[in-house]
Amino acid sequence: IPPIQERPETPERLFIMADEKFIPLQREIRSDEDPDILIDGEVSSFKSHTKAMTKIAVVFEGREQLVRKNGESCNRWVLVNKHVFTYPDDTKHFWQDVYADLNKMYDLEKVKNIYVMGDGATWIKAGTQELQSQYCTAKYAADRFHCEKAIHKLTKNEDIRKLLSNYANKGMKNDFMKLAESVKEESALSGDSFDKTVNYVSNQINGLKVMNQEVKIGCSMEQAIQHILASTFTSVPKAYSRQNLHTYVSARTAQQ
């Protein structure tokens, strides 16, 4: 990967979208004694396939609307000064590595707010603790796409879906929980699945509040991970040796 270049200006706000992709590996035998394969959630297994968790962060300073050649604005937006970070050979220290590279790009003493956006995974939320400093506050902002997808599973009634979504986005947790409980018996989900889905959305409500009131611009991480990793490494059946995967992911990161 090319060396990090220091940017001439440092913004007061940085946005970080984060997610992970599980990429199939070749010729690896699962072993209870192999900590690299089974511990810390760094590698997942499905059936006979061993998969490596590849974490990715997309850092940007904001977004701007594209303008057509005739000077008219269009409905497309682009991320300002986007930069892609992956560390396939060291996922355990992901956020420390992100912070170190951000420190090379910016004067972090001038950054006042960092927003970490994602689907609510524990390791993503942990990024706020790693990136916060005496100069800067770091907050988690929930990706609305995943919350809407979860709400969609709870009921087939479109009016109730809209109301649940409205409660969640406005931070009205008690109202959300009461309404969700009222549709539990008619839900297509089993009792345990229903409760887990409701708890997922409930745990995202504070993050939704940050997204809607502070970030506002939304999170396009699903598109980013599809374009950067999924389309290249998992769109068709194939697998990689661990050593080669690190090389390929690093090359793809540099290209992006």
Side-chain angles (χ1 to χ4, degrees):
I1 297 178
I4 300 294
Q5 300 294 323
E6 182 179 358
R7 299 204 61 80
E9 297 182 359
T10 295
E12 289 191 353
R13 298 202 305 173
L14 286 176
F15 304 92
I16 305 177
M17 302 185 299
D19 205 350
E20 75 279 341
K21 195 68 183 175
F22 290 92
I23 302 176
L25 296 173
Q26 289 179 339
R27 298 185 297 274
E28 289 207 10
I29 300 174
R30 296 182 64 226
S31 170
D32 292 339
E33 297 179 356
D34 190 340
D36 188 40
I37 292 178
L38 294 179
I39 292 180
D40 294 333
E42 300 303 331
V43 176
S44 179
S45 160
F46 177 73
K47 292 184 179 179
S48 61
H49 299 285
T50 300
K51 298 184 180 182
M53 176 192 261
T54 303
K55 297 177 181 177
I56 177 173
V58 178
V59 179
F60 58 101
E61 299 173 12
R63 68 172 185 172
E64 60 185 13
Q65 196 169 12
L66 290 179
V67 178
R68 296 188 178 94
K69 292 182 179 179
N70 60 8
E72 295 181 356
S73 299
C74 62
N75 293 326
R76 294 188 61 192
W77 297 77
V78 293
L79 303 182
V80 177
N81 295 327
K82 182 185 75 172
H83 202 90
V84 180
F85 294 104
T86 59
Y87 309 96
D89 57 341
D90 186 17
T91 58
K92 294 180 181 179
H93 302 95
F94 181 82
W95 288 115
Q96 293 96 316
D97 292 333
V98 168
Y99 184 89
D101 280 344
L102 287 178
N103 199 38
K104 297 175 184 176
M105 293 178 62
Y106 301 106
D107 180 356
L108 292 184
E109 292 186 8
K110 296 181 179 179
V111 178
K112 304 302 181 185
N113 304 102
I114 294 178
Y115 295 100
V116 178
M117 300 178 282
D119 60 11
T122 302
W123 75 266
I124 294 177
K125 287 184 173 181
T128 59
Q129 300 174 8
E130 298 290 344
L131 299 173
Q132 189 160 285
S133 70
Q134 59 179 320
Y135 309 104
C136 171
T137 60
K139 296 182 180 180
Y140 167 72
D143 184 350
R144 290 185 287 244
F145 168 78
H146 293 279
C147 295
E148 292 295 334
K149 186 177 179 181
I151 289 172
H152 193 83
K153 295 178 181 179
L154 296 176
T155 177
K156 295 181 179 180
N157 187 306
E158 289 295 336
D159 291 332
I160 295 179
R161 284 175 177 173
K162 291 179 181 179
L163 195 53
L164 286 169
S165 179
N166 183 58
Y167 286 154
N169 281 293
K170 290 185 177 180
M172 302 168 67
K173 183 178 291 190
N174 290 336
D175 295 290
F176 172 84
M177 297 296 289
K178 289 178 181 178
L179 182 57
E181 187 63 28
S182 72
V183 300
K184 182 175 182 178
E185 291 186 3
E186 65 183 44
S187 177
L189 295 176
S190 66
D192 288 344
S193 295
F194 184 91
D195 291 341
K196 289 179 180 179
T197 304
V198 169
N199 288 336
Y200 170 78
V201 179
S202 176
N203 290 334
Q204 298 302 300
I205 285 180
N206 289 337
L208 284 173
K209 187 176 180 180
V210 174
M211 175 64 75
N212 294 322
Q213 295 184 3
E214 299 183 39
V215 177
K216 300 180 181 180
I217 62 177
C219 175
S220 58
M221 191 60 206
E222 288 300 308
Q223 294 172 314
I225 200 165
Q226 173 65 30
H227 173 68
I228 298 170
L229 290 181
S231 61
T232 302
F233 297 103
T234 63
S235 60
V236 295
K238 52 183 175 285
Y240 305 86
S241 69
R242 188 180 294 273
Q243 182 177 1
N244 287 343
L245 177 62
H246 294 170
T247 302
Y248 295 150
V249 170
S250 297
R252 178 64 173 167
T253 302
Q255 188 271 337
Q256 288 295 302

